[in-house]
Amino acid sequence: METMNSTRRTLLMGCTLGALAFAGASHAQGKSSSPEGRFRKIDGFVFDKLPLNDAIRIVHGSGKRRLAVFSDPNCGHCKRIDKDLKAIGNVTVYMFLYPVLGDDSLAKARGVWCSRDRQKTWSEWIESGTPPAGAAQGCDTAGLQRGIELGRRYKVEGTPTLIFDDGTRVPGAIPTAWIETLLAAPAR
């Protein structure tokens, strides 16, 4: 049997953690309808200090509230969270491409990053499965790389990872009602 390399093992563990977080949140939802106290805040986090130019800005409704999301193009739970955020509305999502699920994810992330309209290319991929075109030769992917480094600095271990305005970090997919609660919570 072929031995799995450590990078692949780490990536699969991150994806598994995201799935387990979703399963745990779904199970917990039956016991409690509140996310209160379930997630940790990032020490010293200031939303305004995020490198927002290295993110894809997606505005739903008025966009009054804001949220950073680390997302892999091939992550099924990321696609669900993207649709949930659209339905919730009144939120500006700063989506950092975080391609951790393999070479195909990295190729798609580069395709999105190097497109003329990143938001449109991302939305077409998420909503209708239209794959992004390959990255143009010579495309500057430094912003994509900075987003990946940012995820590592904030200990993003799987996708999706949501970071709310007050610094609350949520690994994995959670119920829509919990997202709404965390978006509505005043900065603590």
Side-chain angles (χ1 to χ4, degrees):
M1 187 162 126
E2 187 176 323
T3 304
M4 186 182 303
N5 72 37
S6 63
T7 302
R8 179 90 171 137
R9 185 179 306 113
T10 302
L11 295 175
L12 290 174
M13 284 176 42
C15 187
T16 301
L17 288 172
L20 289 173
F22 172 72
S26 296
H27 177 71
Q29 187 178 17
K31 295 181 180 178
S32 170
S33 61
S34 172
E36 196 65 37
R38 296 182 184 271
F39 309 108
R40 294 181 186 217
K41 289 177 122 182
I42 299 169
D43 289 334
F45 179 83
V46 177
F47 200 94
D48 290 330
K49 291 188 178 180
L50 287 173
L52 300 179
N53 288 335
D54 294 336
I56 298 171
R57 184 174 177 261
I58 304 167
V59 179
H60 300 299
S62 71
K64 288 190 293 189
R65 304 172 294 181
R66 58 190 180 170
L67 172 71
V69 178
F70 290 84
S71 190
D72 184 291
N74 288 326
C75 168
H77 291 298
C78 298
K79 292 177 183 181
R80 196 201 91 216
I81 287 291
D82 196 79
K83 291 174 186 174
D84 289 350
L85 290 169
K86 186 175 185 178
I88 289 171
N90 295 330
V91 62
T92 298
V93 178
Y94 293 94
M95 204 276 300
F96 292 90
L97 291 166
Y98 200 66
V100 295
L101 297 177
D103 292 339
D104 183 59
S105 292
L106 183 56
K108 285 183 176 124
R110 284 183 179 144
V112 170
W113 186 257
C114 294
S115 67
R116 286 183 184 201
D117 186 340
R118 294 174 184 152
Q119 189 275 329
K120 180 180 177 197
T121 303
W122 176 257
S123 294
E124 287 175 351
W125 168 242
I126 293 299
E127 293 173 12
S128 63
T130 304
Q137 187 77 321
C139 171
D140 181 5
T141 58
L144 173 62
Q145 187 58 43
R146 286 190 300 269
I148 293 168
E149 291 166 8
L150 179 70
R152 289 179 184 143
R153 186 169 54 237
Y154 286 131
K155 297 178 177 48
V156 173
E157 296 175 349
T159 57
T161 293
L162 292 72
I163 302 178
F164 290 82
D165 204 2
D166 70 349
T168 300
R169 180 183 48 226
V170 177
I174 59 173
T176 305
W178 288 16
I179 296 171
E180 182 64 53
T181 299
L182 289 166
L183 283 169
R188 296 171 229 140

